[in-house]
Amino acid sequence: MTDKNILTENKARAVVIIGITGDLARRMLIPSLYALYRDNLLPKDIKLVGASRSNLTTEAFRALVAESLMQFVAATDRVPVKMEGFCQSFEYAAVDSAKPETFAVLADILGNVKNSEVIYHLSTSPNLYGSICAALQSAGLAHDKARLLIEKPIGHDLTSSRAINAAAGAVFDEERIFRIDHYLGKESVQNLLALRFGNMLFEPLWNASHIEQVQITVAETVGVEGRWGYYDDAGALRDMVQNHMLQLLSLIAMEPPAGLDSSSVRNEKIKVLRSLRPIGSDNTAIDSVQGQYSAGSIGGTSVVSYADEEGSKASNTETFVALRAHIDNWRWAGVPFYLRTGKRLAERSTEIFIQFRSVPHSIFKAAGAGLSPNKMIIKMQPEESIQLYLMSKVPGLDRDGLKLKAVPLNLSFDHVFSKQPRRIAYERLFLDAINNNGTLFVHRDEIEAAWQWIDGIHNGWQQSGQPPHKYASGSWGPTSAIALTERHGHSWHE
Ligand code: BG6
């Protein structure tokens, strides 16, 4: 990796979203661009262009943009005059990568900025990334100032991800490709860097000598949300672990980077991913658990099983996965990293739980007081907080013996930063891409190292032929997930 791309003088002059009529664009991309426009954060005179295969008039397209703002922007964030200005500044191009000649229209719309810094954001099926890149190239749009933004899933396994990366790489240099993992746009995820490398307190303890175990949980209450076709093909391992969870793991486990530039941060993450001990046919049975939700109740409302979701067929796809991972390097030798994610779980919660080791000798034992190890809980969603559990003496004269208790130091970011507006992850990612800053985007080598590890787990599952364990919607997953940690003397933090 050679790119050093905090080059703010290379601000983009246009953003083109290809696949603008799709769900992601309507829910996230249009509202995020609108928020930046409303707050005057976009470069002056930036061109905004939506593109898709549909034959829409400019008026019909702008009506669609307005509709998505009404539907997906909170009423308190809607400023009518800004919404109107935003819609009017959006142009539309009907393009079809199967007919590359249609991209000439896009070139016309870009006009005098077409040879400048233009961002092409592909919000389409990844199967089309290769042909869209080729069509951009044939229209003369993929020159060396153009940038490509692509969404997950980058492939279904290592082979297909390599094919996608190669097709995009045949047209755009790696430093011009910005792969999105929307978790990296989240404030709470970026805060992991501040916590680890902006404080002297933690780094000396951040290793196998002082940490007993780490747990990363991304629990969702939602089901497949009408995306059964996509989801059934992916499953929880590919949909969540390959990308979001391995990004969290890398940020928690990496060595201090030399700086905040993209090469430094991404190089350290890659080292972590390459140090993951393979989980394959020998150990999937002890180091992994798959589950699939059955009917149950979430927040008092009954929900159907995965097998009864709209559009479903008989399926052994996992909607829950728990893993015991190891990072085979000096810092983390012997420390289990438990990863757990699932749909239709008891609550929505993304958190990182770190349990420190016990003190080497307790001076309180003779006095009958027990000690529990220090714990740190980094809550990332829905609220952001850090709790650090410390042992404290319970006040009193100790006539019945000394008593100690683990009490939390609580830091609530929502409280401390209550006046700071909260941004959607995509707002941050758009701005960074506009400013040509790749730190919060994923390098090809990260994607491929992650797939290599994930493929091993999948192959192990396939060889075992074990179907996922059922779990009731509204629970914390199958009971075998409890055994995964307890077998090693640990238990899930809930
Ligand atoms: C997406 C997955 O990448 O992330 C979804 O495809 C999942 O299945 C979503 O629901 C979770 O994102 P967030 O930001 O709600 O935690």
Side-chain angles (χ1 to χ4, degrees):
M1 289 173 65
T2 53
D3 59 316
K4 277 239 184 269
N5 51 15
I6 303 193
L7 302 174
T8 42
E9 72 273 19
N10 290 343
K11 277 197 196 303
R13 310 273 312 275
V15 175
V16 179
I17 300 177
I18 301 182
I20 193 78
T21 52
D23 197 52
L24 177 73
R26 289 186 309 108
R27 274 175 192 277
M28 290 287 175
L29 309 184
I30 293 175
S32 305
L33 277 179
Y34 158 72
L36 296 175
Y37 175 92
R38 181 197 59 209
D39 299 343
N40 302 320
L41 294 171
L42 291 176
K44 213 166 156 281
D45 298 332
I46 194 166
K47 267 200 176 192
L48 303 177
V49 184
S52 82
R53 279 189 291 215
S54 313
N55 250 329
L56 296 175
T57 61
T58 307
E59 289 64 43
F61 168 66
R62 288 180 181 162
L64 191 141
V65 173
E67 192 185 298
S68 109
L69 297 182
M70 291 307 287
Q71 208 176 342
F72 298 112
V73 175
T76 46
D77 293 334
R78 292 188 214 133
V79 179
V81 56
K82 292 282 186 177
M83 280 168 55
E84 177 63 16
F86 177 72
C87 293
Q88 291 306 320
S89 67
F90 236 120
E91 300 291 337
Y92 181 72
V95 297
D96 182 349
S97 59
K99 299 179 198 139
E101 65 283 3
T102 55
F103 279 67
V105 177
L106 183 54
D108 285 348
I109 289 176
L110 287 170
N112 63 351
V113 299
K114 78 166 190 267
N115 295 322
S116 326
E117 285 74 10
V118 177
I119 292 179
Y120 297 100
H121 185 140
L122 311 195
S123 177
T124 64
S125 157
N127 300 334
L128 299 176
Y129 291 172
S131 60
I132 294 175
C133 289
L136 287 168
Q137 190 174 40
S138 69
L141 296 173
H143 47 74
D144 64 2
K145 287 186 178 160
R147 295 171 210 150
L148 182 74
L149 246 73
I150 47 180
E151 295 282 344
K152 74 171 258 267
I154 312 274
H156 192 251
D157 53 17
L158 179 59
T159 311
S160 53
S161 78
R162 279 191 174 142
I164 292 177
N165 283 330
V171 178
F172 292 88
D173 290 343
E174 177 63 26
E175 73 256 24
R176 303 211 158 272
I177 303 179
F178 291 69
R179 293 177 193 80
I180 294 179
D181 182 312
H182 79 277
Y183 267 51
L184 295 182
K186 289 180 191 270
E187 201 66 59
S188 55
V189 177
Q190 292 157 43
N191 205 19
L192 292 175
L193 290 177
L195 178 77
R196 284 198 59 198
F197 305 119
N199 295 294
M200 192 55 212
L201 278 183
F202 304 116
E203 193 50 25
L205 305 180
W206 215 255
N207 53 49
S209 308
H210 301 97
I211 290 182
E212 158 85 21
Q213 55 142 338
V214 177
Q215 298 181 9
I216 303 179
T217 296
V218 183
E220 298 188 280
T221 51
V222 292
V224 290
E225 298 183 291
R227 300 190 300 159
W228 201 88
Y230 154 76
Y231 192 86
D232 197 60
D233 210 26
L237 187 65
R238 291 183 173 113
D239 184 49
M240 295 295 286
V241 183
Q242 189 273 339
N243 34 71
H244 311 320
M245 297 196 77
L246 288 186
Q247 284 296 325
L248 294 178
L249 174 89
S250 311
L251 291 170
I252 280 292
M254 71 183 186
E255 296 301 313
L260 260 192
D261 59 282
S262 57
S263 309
S264 302
V265 173
R266 300 193 302 194
N267 280 344
E268 295 307 336
K269 287 194 288 168
I270 291 167
K271 286 190 216 159
V272 173
L273 295 168
R274 288 188 179 151
S275 306
L276 279 169
R277 185 185 302 170
I279 299 180
S281 48
D282 295 345
N283 50 349
T284 40
I286 50 164
D287 286 336
S288 76
V289 171
Q290 327 166 50
Q292 189 188 79
Y293 61 82
S294 44
S297 141
I298 305 269
T301 308
S302 304
V303 292
V304 298
S305 68
Y306 181 69
D308 290 323
E309 290 281 8
E310 201 186 322
S312 65
K313 302 192 190 85
S315 162
N316 275 339
T317 292
E318 80 289 355
T319 61
F320 172 96
V321 58
L323 300 168
R324 187 173 74 116
H326 278 99
I327 299 168
D328 283 336
N329 63 17
W330 276 43
R331 187 187 279 263
W332 295 115
V335 178
F337 282 74
Y338 297 103
L339 310 182
R340 170 176 65 159
T341 185
K343 299 230 177 255
R344 292 286 191 225
L345 295 183
E347 57 186 65
R348 177 168 186 245
S349 165
T350 299
E351 67 167 40
I352 298 174
F353 169 83
I354 295 161
Q355 186 185 322
F356 292 87
R357 295 205 184 275
S358 302
V359 297
H361 168 73
S362 173
I363 60 167
F364 305 104
K365 205 167 166 190
L371 286 178
S372 39
N374 298 125
K375 293 175 196 113
M376 178 148 86
I377 299 148
I378 308 171
K379 265 255 171 222
M380 311 178 85
Q381 287 185 150
E383 72 280 0
E384 280 175 59
S385 65
I386 294 183
Q387 290 183 314
L388 185 59
Y389 278 87
L390 304 174
M391 290 313 295
S392 166
K393 180 181 175 301
V394 177
L397 298 175
D398 304 333
R399 286 152 62 91
D400 302 326
L402 176 69
K403 287 197 185 59
L404 300 178
K405 188 173 179 222
V407 287
L409 269 181
N410 273 324
L411 168 60
S412 157
F413 293 97
D414 297 337
H415 182 67
V416 176
F417 296 114
S418 60
K419 297 213 164 55
Q420 251 76 22
R422 287 312 210 221
R423 297 284 182 180
I424 309 175
Y426 276 98
E427 293 178 39
R428 172 62 195 247
L429 297 176
F430 268 128
L431 268 192
D432 280 7
I434 287 170
N435 289 329
N436 205 20
N437 179 358
T439 303
L440 298 180
F441 295 86
V442 186
H443 192 273
R444 172 181 188 154
D445 294 349
E446 290 176 75
I447 301 267
E448 296 186 4
W451 273 124
Q452 185 149 13
W453 192 67
I454 295 292
D455 281 359
I457 301 171
H458 249 285
N459 294 342
W461 286 351
Q462 255 158 15
Q463 279 168 32
S464 82
Q466 275 283 328
H469 301 276
K470 295 280 192 271
Y471 61 94
S473 288
S475 70
W476 277 104
T479 45
S480 41
I482 299 173
L484 179 85
T485 51
E486 293 201 336
R487 205 179 290 136
H488 305 283
H490 299 136
S491 44
W492 291 108
H493 175 251
E494 263 149 36

